[in-house]
Amino acid sequence: MIQQVTTTESDKAQDAPIAPPDHLVGKSCRRIDGKEKVTGTALYGADLFPNSAELFASVVRSQHAHANITAIDTTKALEVAGVLGVYTHADVGGTNIHGLIRRDHPALASKRVRYLGDAIAVVVAKTERAAKLGRDRVEVSYEPLPVIATMEQAIADGACKLYPEGNVMGDKRIRKGDVELALANSHVVVTDTFFTQTVDHAFLDIEAGTGHWDGQVLTLYVAGQWVHEERRLIALALGLPVEQIRIIQPVTGGAFGGREDISIQIYLGLAALKHQGKTIALRYTRSESMRARHKRHALKIESTFGAKADGTLTAARIVVHSDEGAYASTGIAVMRKAASHATGPYRVPNVEVDVYGVHTNNNPTGAMRGFGACQMAIAYEGMMDRIARALNMDREAFRRKNLIQSGDTVTTGQHVDPVSIGHCLSKAIAKFKERPYPGNDKLPDYMRRGWGMSAICFGLGYGDGFPDCSRARVEMNDDGTATVYTGGVEVGQGLLNTMMQIAGEDLGLPMEHMRIVAADTELTDESGSSSATRQTYFTGNAVRMAASELREQVLDIAGIKLKVHPHEITLQQGWAFETAKPDNRVSIQQICTEGLTRGYSLKATALFKPRTITEVPQTGQSPRAFITYLFGAHVSQVLVNMETGEVKVERHIAAHDVGKAVNPQSVEGQIVGGVAQGLGMALMEEVTYKDGRIMNPGLTDYIIPTIKDLPPVEAIIVEHDDPGGPFGAHGVGEPPLIGAVPAILSAIYDATGKAPCELPMNPERTWRLINDVRENDPLSKVF
Amino acid sequence: MFHQPMTFKQALELRSELGADATVINGGTDVVVAMNHGAIKPTCFLDLSGINAIRKIDRDNGHLILGAGVTFAQLGKLHVRTLKEASLSVGGPAIRNMGTIGGNIATASPAGDGCVALLALGADVQLSSKDRGQRWIPLVDYFIDYRKTALADDELIQAVRIPYNPRSRWYKIGKRGAVNISLVCCAVSQNEDKKTQLAFGCVGPIPRTAPKASALLNGETLSAELIDDVANLVAQEVSPIDDQRGSAAYRRAMCSTLTKRLLTQLMEDNPKGDADA
Ligand SMILES: Cc1cc2nc3c(=O)[nH]c(=O)nc-3n(C[C@H](O)[C@H](O)[C@H](O)COP(=O)(O)OP(=O)(O)OC[C@H]3O[C@@H](n4cnc5c(N)ncnc54)[C@H](O)[C@@H]3O)c2cc1C
């Protein structure tokens, strides 16, 4: 039946002229996941609950930020009606440990807890309510240990050690030239210390999912950022072979790095293994989500920069202390990224950077959009404004004098080409100047306006020799459509469209003929994580390679059919035709049928695995620390109430070189979202701790921006082909946030004449800055 | 049990019968949040949202009578500036459509924006019970201590009364542009006899006035010097604390700052001291 319809339609279509070429790369094709998200039919993790859950799990967490566990008594919990089981470390079959770089985080703590989010037991019950009642009845006895609440306490003499090796988790350094001498010979030397805050990802879609064990396969519907790696970690922890675990990513509402660490997967897996044949559901509340999850690192950045009288930068000495919290997470990589981005897109001949990661009893800190590069941009851009002022130079002219250019090296010694930072800055400033700057003339005396800028760079991918690769498969289906298979996860950024558009471009297929299967460990191959701004570049390349290979097969078959050399054929809108004689044509659908009978596979797979080079530990130098560099520049205009400290961002312009915008609307979405998140970090977001306890574990007091806080973001897409990227594209996920924060701070500096050094600049901090009020400041992190 | 009376009389009867066992609910924007957080576990509700009689705004002899069930969205359309702006600063549109002034007063949060505006307006609140009838008390006497009020277990808030045509101003400092809990808020109003009231939120356990500072203003024509004196006195009068939203030092300073700013606006906008147009 279907067959018939198809034939009739294609018969009719045989006579119709072929539609003009429709280049999918560069086109804002409508998001394929858009309609179901907007209409509310998309199934997120928590939506799986009512449909499929048979049993419910709940997690027992530590009552202490730091303690030894002396006993775990589950008797009373097991007495709760409906509770079917309470499982502790003793029930875990594998290593019971996870951790993305170091395996140091017990899935269920046995001897010791190091933060209040540490999990101790999993309760399984017939209802969610019973599971939670059971959770509250598990009796854990503790022997409290001193709580290391701050980095200062952690590195003090005689501090209680979180680990036998001590509280310093590791260090990263850069050594280049002779900083001592260069500073001594500088015309100005400017020093300041920056304190960035702990930030939560605050994604909408709180951790939730289901697990099921049928005796053969453990199936987990849980949103992560790298399903294949999560599978490996779960397998190790639970003692199950990797191939017996299947992870399927439900529709996911944001990640921002917050789904990189293992969250509910191991608890669900353990519960499922104990209750064969039952679908177990587990979801956090917002407060549990915030208490359990890792955070963005809070950094203390001590910066000293020198410059000549003409504005040429001479040297930088930077010491960073980074609050790693209780476990390593991706901390080592964040520290390295901080070190390698310490001087940003500036030419600084002499550099010393020391980054120390310090364990505390706060939440572990790990990946979040910007990943160390974000905090450093706040410091180096802050320093650029301060030095320009010290030299009495124009802020833009001073930056331009020192920005790297194509072929220059960044601080790790890597040559970068092309470098488009100067161009991005010009674009942003030109856009700003399109409208007259209103200045302070018409303002009451207690209001001040200011504007500022930022110029930032970002090394894409994991870098530093860490294995980083993507696989992809592209297949023609017998109805003439093509399916892309990728392990990459869509977390809201637009990965699905990007991959379909890249493959469709090569295959000459319209978007309606493209299909995709993503993030299912059974059906797709490893594509690395949706992080490090890497998917467009890495998986995009793998998809491009597979699609190109498939294109060759299609052209071969078309050549046979059309009796011309494959090189003389054009693929367009689902047709193959002789370029010189378009009437000589065959539909892709026919090619598929033909091809399969001729023994063509009409499938292609590809592996994209470029190499980066591990840094020399003593100097931090590497000829290729990152696969490629991204650039962006922002301009922000703010209005400050000098009496109350309230800051309103009036305009925000962001120019980002994305190589090539595969889907310009998605790129703009990333830029606007990054600015919104950056505005939150600059002005309002802050996790506050008291002795390791999060004081604002909810969106009542963890303040994120609303639409009323955001000006219409003016996004500028800059395109300089990246020679290594698919169709010249690289990525855009993280840089917009990185650029936004320092531009807003720069504008506050301009408005108030005072240089911000502590985040976030909420009304009180801004008021303290303006009025130099230091005392009685319970919010201050300064030490 | 979920009781939903359609008249205020029925509500009072139920209230008298059920007493503290029934959780009174109107817009639910405080009650439901408290339930979700597990702070309260109600077993029985007395829902006032079906009673049209308390959703009205009436004029009476130079006063406005606001029914306890009047929403912030309704108040946002009033001309009484401090109450209008305070109401429009509450939550977002959804909260303003549901949240009521009676609920705000009953919750008695020190951050209750509606309460602060009403205090500056010198509002009276009408508390009613089946057996003891109605009583009007000054709102300032209604707030006793942190979340402790003059409302008895058999009483409901029926209405609030404010002067019809005062000159007034409002300012709220929070951390963002909407859905924004006050860090400090300040309301001032001045009636035709130049009786001036200052009120503040988030500077103590209850929404409060500043009687000493307000007394300095009474009957006086505003001047820059007078405003400075009042602003200084305010800083001494209020007793904010440090909490994780902000420090006592900042809040104290802001009370002065906002007093000065709002009184200066009153003075500059209308030097003769006439009522708002
Ligand atoms: C997202 C959000 C944002 C908010 N923002 C603000 C804000 O900016 N400013 C602000 O001030 N508040 C804010 N609130 C709090 C809340 O909206 C207000 O306090 C509102 O006025 C409560 O009114 P309601 O009708 O919803 O009260 P309900 O939740 O129905 O009741 C609140 C309390 O009042 C009692 N009650 C209600 N009516 C009566 C009555 N007639 N007699 C006796 N007792 C009664 C109830 O028993 C309960 O104790 C916010 C709440 C939320 C959820």
Side-chain angles (χ1 to χ4, degrees), chain A residues 21-30 497-506 511 536 658-668 717 719 721 726-729:
Chain A
D22 180 15
H23 290 290
L24 295 188
V25 167
K27 187 179 173 192
S28 294
C29 297
R30 186 178 292 173
N497 265 57
T498 301
M499 299 311 151
M500 290 162 79
Q501 291 181 227
I502 287 174
E505 175 75 38
D506 252 331
M511 195 61 178
T536 298
V658 300
K660 168 81 191 167
V662 175
N663 182 317
Q665 197 178 37
S666 275
V667 169
E668 270 179 39
I717 297 175
E719 293 181 314
D721 267 7
F727 296 101

Side-chain angles (χ1 to χ4, degrees), chain A residues 108 113 120 132 145 182 283 298 308 337 444 462 492 639 664 676 680 696 703 709 776:
Chain A
L108 293 174
V113 285
I120 296 169
K132 290 193 171 173
L145 296 166
R283 63 175 158 188
K308 294 186 195 163
K337 200 133 196 170
Y462 308 144
L639 189 60
N696 52 348
I703 308 292
D709 298 289
N776 301 325

Side-chain angles (χ1 to χ4, degrees), chain A residues 643-644 646 701 704 709 764, chain B residues 171 176-177 245 247 250 261:
Chain A
E643 289 183 341
T644 62
E646 292 162 289
D701 277 307
I704 58 174
D709 298 289
E764 175 159 356
Chain B
Y171 201 94
R176 65 179 165 200
R245 288 178 190 157
S247 72
Y250 176 69
R261 179 65 38 228

Side-chain angles (χ1 to χ4, degrees), chain A residues 330-374:
Chain A
T330 44
I332 290 287
V334 174
M335 286 162 63
R336 170 60 184 158
K337 200 133 196 170
S340 58
H341 289 70
T343 56
Y346 297 99
R347 221 181 294 113
V348 190
N350 305 285
V351 181
E352 258 178 50
V353 182
D354 292 280
V355 183
Y356 301 97
V358 181
H359 277 304
T360 64
N361 293 118
N362 295 329
N363 279 45
T365 49
M368 184 171 177
R369 201 175 194 176
F371 205 79
C374 152

Side-chain angles (χ1 to χ4, degrees), chain B residues 24 26-31 48 72 90-91 100 104 106-107 112-113 157 172:
Chain B
V24 178
N26 200 333
T29 59
D30 281 322
V31 169
L48 307 182
F72 290 112
V90 170
T100 64
N104 205 245
T107 294
D113 293 317
I157 300 170
K172 164 169 165 179

